[in-house]
Amino acid sequence: MKPDMTVSWDRHLKNGNVWGVEVELSMQDTPGDFYTYNVKVYVVAPTQALAQYIVATMYPDYEGIFIDDEPTRTAP
């Protein structure tokens, strides 16, 4: 099956549908030794709220989620 249309990453960027989201995650290296690290995720979503929901679903054990105030307009 071949798609009738393909929406490219550049088109999503141009339309303002790409959101940068930083996720703070924790990791345990050894018993009692916890530390956190940050992961930057770029999500295609029409709204900031939906982008946040997608990332929270992808990383349910997050310590914190920080989403950009505006959509990303240039390639990361």
Side-chain angles (χ1 to χ4, degrees):
M1 184 172 216
K2 189 173 178 179
D4 295 323
M5 181 176 72
T6 300
V7 181
S8 70
W9 180 257
D10 291 333
R11 178 60 67 182
H12 284 300
L13 283 170
K14 184 178 176 185
N15 290 338
N17 292 329
V18 178
W19 295 87
V21 183
E22 244 185 84
V23 186
E24 186 177 27
L25 302 169
S26 63
M27 178 179 271
Q28 182 178 6
D29 190 27
T30 58
D33 184 21
F34 287 94
Y35 64 93
T36 61
Y37 62 100
N38 293 331
V39 176
K40 183 81 173 202
V41 180
Y42 291 92
V43 180
V44 175
T47 65
Q48 184 185 42
L50 183 56
Q52 182 174 344
Y53 172 77
I54 291 168
V55 173
T57 302
M58 290 171 58
Y59 300 97
D61 296 330
Y62 67 89
E63 297 293 323
I65 291 181
F66 310 94
I67 188 162
D68 294 343
D69 291 332
E70 297 290 327
T72 302
R73 298 281 183 173
T74 58

